[in-house]
Amino acid sequence: MKITKLTVYCVVLDKWGVETRYTKTLNMEIPLETTVLRIDTDEGLTGWGETMTAPSYYLPTSPQSARAGIELIAPALLGQDPLNHRARMEDIRFAMRGHKPTKSVIDMALWDLQGKARGLPLVHLWGGRVVEDMPVLCLVNTASPEEQVAQIEEFRAQGYKLFQIKIGHGSPQLEVARIRACQQAMREDERCWFDVNRAWTVDQAMQVMPLVRDLAPLIEQPCETYEQCRTVARHTGMGLMLDEAIEDQDSFIRAAEDGVINVAVLKMGCTGGISEHRHLVETGLRLDIPMRIEDFYGTGLTLAAVSHLAQGLPAAATFGLYDYHLPAVPVVKNPFPVVNGRVKVPEDCAPGLGVEVDPEVLGDPVAEYRL
């Protein structure tokens, strides 16, 4: 089998719809764009991948750079056997340093092809199901304590039991009030945590976290750098959920050895793709650290990819998945349904990712590369 064509699409997702400490940057009118890649072969099989590149105010990346990376690496893929997955990814790593969103979208499309060629959904290609389904988290906007509790109640009515509470914008007193109100609103079978999105300095974290230590809240990425987060953890004695600080095995193991991390967030655009995630989840299993397996955002393609991987892990290892499917932008026709705050790979899942892309939603390609 040979790769004969790479086709690149850009889908504008418009607004994320979540109020965070980054909300003030929205006046820059930077659209959220997802890059979708189609890989065609001479045997008629097609693989699909997606990378939802984080905006420049969040990470030093852009969707334009992800698409430019595909253009650079296309000659190394055209004419090659897509089923020799490891060789293809080694070729890319040799030819291109960094550019992890580009590597991620190619990696996903190659895995989709692999599953289709073997006649297996990815969860079975990777070893089979371990759990019946996986929990899905919901995002609670930055707001007053009372408004955030009201949002929790709305999501609870939809069946959600995992709540990511956005904070990091306001005085230390307001931050403490948010944490106390939301933590005390939790029921016995629910869990919440507080995503600061790197907004605090060490001093600000030290003003807030000791005042809520009695509640044992889980704080996500309070400061910009790993070193700052480590300082806060050591001074407060509180473990953290680390997001942007975890991008490879070395950073994962270092955080575990330092005693800083309680939960790891693994984003494909930061690690380089689902293959790296497969390696990192094995690391997490051996470190006994639960993980959120995800990307910055995306559509039903990304939801399918992370669901296949999480379905093959013990329940305690998967902290929660995002519901990426946007009804207003139905890139896939059959996204995995989220029911009562949980998702599963369907029992009758088709081979590969198991979702059907809607060409009408994709529109015209922005680039094509042919053999």
Side-chain angles (χ1 to χ4, degrees):
M1 186 181 297
K2 293 182 180 180
I3 296 173
T4 57
K5 185 169 72 168
L6 306 176
T7 308
V8 184
Y9 300 88
C10 171
V11 181
V12 178
L13 303 184
D14 194 19
K15 292 185 178 180
W16 189 20
V18 178
E19 298 289 327
T20 74
R21 71 108 164 179
Y22 296 110
T23 300
K24 62 184 179 181
T25 66
L26 295 182
N27 60 10
M28 298 169 62
E29 297 184 352
I30 300 175
L32 290 181
E33 298 176 359
T34 189
T35 296
V36 176
L37 174 66
R38 170 175 171 159
I39 298 181
D40 285 294
T41 69
D42 61 351
E43 295 188 13
L45 287 182
T46 297
W48 292 94
E50 171 183 38
T51 184
M52 174 66 227
T53 310
S56 57
Y57 56 77
Y58 185 86
L59 289 174
T61 58
S62 72
Q64 293 85 357
S65 63
R67 294 192 287 270
I70 297 173
E71 179 180 4
L72 287 172
I73 211 66
L77 292 171
L78 291 170
Q80 300 300 314
D81 181 2
L83 302 188
N84 196 344
H85 182 281
R86 185 176 294 275
R88 299 291 76 76
M89 295 309 296
E90 285 301 318
D91 290 343
I92 293 171
R93 275 189 281 268
F94 181 79
M96 177 184 289
R97 293 182 182 273
H99 292 277
K100 290 183 177 180
T102 296
K103 294 173 180 175
S104 179
V105 69
I106 294 170
D107 190 34
M108 190 188 298
L110 289 176
W111 275 120
D112 190 31
L113 271 171
Q114 190 82 232
K116 289 173 178 174
R118 310 301 181 195
L120 292 171
L122 293 180
V123 64
H124 295 304
L125 185 68
W126 293 336
R129 299 172 188 263
V130 174
V131 293
E132 176 64 24
D133 55 16
M134 296 80 64
V136 175
L137 63 91
C138 60
L139 301 175
V140 175
N141 289 325
T142 296
S144 69
E146 296 77 15
E147 290 169 331
Q148 289 190 317
V149 170
Q151 290 180 57
I152 290 172
E153 292 173 351
E154 291 176 3
F155 282 120
R156 179 182 288 140
Q158 300 173 44
Y160 290 92
K161 298 181 183 296
L162 289 177
F163 308 93
Q164 183 185 47
I165 316 295
K166 295 292 185 178
I167 61 174
H169 180 66
S171 67
Q173 292 76 19
L174 178 57
E175 301 282 56
V176 169
R178 287 168 172 157
I179 293 171
R180 286 199 169 276
C182 294
Q183 192 78 53
Q184 291 169 348
M186 291 296 101
R187 296 178 179 176
E188 183 177 351
D189 59 345
E190 296 175 343
R191 182 78 184 272
C192 74
W193 65 98
F194 302 90
D195 186 7
V196 186
N197 278 129
R198 303 173 290 178
W200 291 342
T201 63
V202 170
D203 177 62
Q204 289 170 320
M206 291 302 300
Q207 291 181 63
V208 174
M209 292 173 63
L211 296 180
V212 294
R213 186 173 177 177
D214 60 301
L215 298 174
L218 179 58
I219 306 295
E220 179 178 349
Q221 196 74 34
C223 303
E224 183 70 33
T225 69
Y226 171 74
E227 289 74 20
Q228 291 168 334
C229 290
R230 181 178 59 192
T231 296
V232 168
R234 286 176 173 174
H235 279 285
T236 63
M238 297 167 65
L240 306 172
M241 178 184 288
L242 291 182
D243 185 349
E244 296 84 3
I246 304 300
E247 59 182 10
D248 53 25
Q249 178 180 267
D250 290 345
S251 55
F252 199 169
I253 293 175
R254 176 179 62 170
E257 290 177 341
D258 288 346
V260 174
I261 188 170
N262 284 5
V263 178
V265 182
L266 308 177
K267 285 184 168 65
M268 288 188 289
C270 294
T271 65
I274 202 74
S275 293
E276 293 297 326
H277 269 42
R278 292 184 68 212
H279 174 69
L280 288 172
V281 297
E282 294 299 327
T283 301
L285 287 173
R286 283 151 181 77
L287 294 172
D288 203 24
I289 293 174
M291 296 156 284
R292 279 172 36 204
I293 304 164
E294 58 188 53
D295 209 345
F296 172 76
Y297 207 51
T299 69
L301 284 165
T302 295
L303 177 60
V306 299
S307 295
H308 279 285
L309 180 54
Q311 188 101 57
L313 300 177
T318 302
F319 192 86
L321 307 177
Y322 274 134
D323 174 7
Y324 293 94
H325 176 60
L326 297 173
V329 192
V331 169
V332 300
K333 297 179 180 180
N334 57 336
F336 294 174
V338 175
V339 180
N340 291 324
R342 302 187 73 84
V343 68
K344 66 181 294 183
V345 177
E347 297 291 343
D348 59 351
C349 185
L353 290 171
V355 292
E356 182 182 356
V357 175
D358 189 338
E360 296 296 324
V361 176
L362 288 182
D364 295 331
V366 296
E368 290 183 351
Y369 310 98
R370 298 175 180 269
L371 181 61

